[in-house]
């Protein structure tokens, strides 16, 4: 069973944020804070779809209905992510355990900059990462510093996806269909990374 992909031609705006499992306990007497970091983080999205009509509206409604609410997952190749040009075919050169925040890689042409995104895995193992430092290749090798931490161990030879990096999402609630005059449908999606 393949994972469905959200139709990008109908996306009008995207709000993306990296959520973390950090809690603050503040003293009511001194105002000092104690921060508790549980180490988990994930992507959250709010996606507004373009106003659609007729067959396109029904097709989009069917896409969300087929997800089955919180059960279903879908891939979202975030259209706000700029795809770098001529960066080579990078891959992982050293295995890294879950929780790592750096990867040793090779196969680079040009480097990437802090803020660029890449993907590891595919289908149900798709994970989206954002670089926290510029990548300067030494020859064809480079070290990547990124967030969030690796969810699973990464093996030598794992390709680094730079062409339309995607994130695997799960709805956080039902997708309401607002139907206006002249059969105009509006959809707003709230979703988080499916872990």
């Amino acid at each position: 069973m393949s994972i469905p992909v959200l139709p990008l031609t109908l996306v009008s705006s995207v709000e993306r944020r990296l959520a973390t499992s950090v809690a603050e306990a503040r003293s009511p007497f001194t105002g000092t804070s104690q921060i508790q970091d549980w180490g988990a983080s994930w992507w959250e999205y709010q996606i507004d779809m373009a106003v659609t009509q007729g067959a396109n509206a029904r097709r989009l409604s069917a896409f969300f209905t087929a997800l089955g609410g919180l059960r279903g997952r879908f891939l979202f190749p975030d259209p706000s992510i700029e795809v770098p040009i001529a960066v080579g075919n990078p891959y992982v050169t050293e295995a890294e355990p879950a929780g790592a925040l750096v990867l040793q890689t090779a196969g680079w042409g040009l480097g990437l900059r802090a803020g660029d995104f890449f993907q590891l895995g595919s289908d149900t193992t798709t994970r989206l990462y954002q670089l926290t430092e510029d990548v300067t290749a030494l020859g064809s090798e480079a070290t990547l510093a990124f967030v969030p931490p690796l969810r699973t161990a990464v093996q030598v030879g794992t390709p680094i996806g730079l062409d339309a990096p995607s994130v695997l999402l799960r709805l956080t609630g039902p997708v309401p269909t607002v139907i206006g005059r002249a059969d105009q449908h509006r959809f707003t999606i709230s979703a988080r990374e499916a872990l």
Side-chain angles (χ1 to χ4, degrees):
M1 180 179 161
S2 65
I3 302 294
V5 179
L6 184 67
L8 293 184
T9 56
L10 301 175
V11 173
S12 67
S13 69
V14 174
E15 179 184 320
R16 174 187 55 237
R17 65 189 156 277
L18 183 65
T20 58
S21 58
V22 175
E24 176 188 26
R26 185 173 301 181
S27 168
F29 305 106
T30 64
T32 58
S33 295
Q34 179 183 22
I35 303 297
Q36 298 169 330
D37 186 352
W38 300 101
S41 52
W42 57 89
W43 295 106
E44 292 182 347
Y45 277 82
Q46 176 100 15
I47 304 166
D48 291 321
M49 305 303 284
V51 173
T52 57
Q53 294 177 308
N56 281 340
R58 289 186 296 280
R59 190 173 294 116
L60 194 53
S61 178
F63 176 88
F64 295 126
T65 302
L67 289 176
L70 303 178
R71 289 188 310 261
R73 298 173 294 179
F74 63 97
L75 285 171
F76 181 59
D78 188 335
S80 67
I81 295 175
E82 185 176 316
V83 177
I85 299 173
V87 291
N89 294 309
Y91 57 92
V92 175
T93 59
E94 290 183 25
E96 293 290 344
L101 290 167
V102 294
L103 282 176
Q104 303 302 318
T105 63
W108 293 94
L110 301 174
L112 299 174
R113 301 208 176 271
D116 287 342
F117 288 83
F118 66 95
Q119 167 189 325
L120 293 174
S122 61
D123 290 329
T124 61
T125 63
T126 301
R127 298 290 179 252
L128 182 67
Y129 298 95
Q130 185 174 31
L131 295 172
T132 56
E133 297 177 12
D134 289 348
V135 176
T136 305
L138 299 171
S140 73
E141 297 182 357
T143 300
L144 306 183
F146 56 88
V147 292
L150 291 177
R151 287 274 170 204
T152 59
V154 175
Q155 303 304 313
V156 172
T158 300
I160 297 170
L162 299 168
D163 184 26
S166 298
V167 60
L168 181 65
L169 296 176
R170 181 183 311 275
L171 297 174
T172 58
V175 178
T177 305
V178 178
I179 304 169
R181 292 183 181 171
D183 191 34
Q184 293 187 341
H185 293 66
R186 287 183 295 135
F187 302 90
T188 298
I189 307 159
S190 179
R192 65 171 280 177
E193 190 173 8
L195 302 172

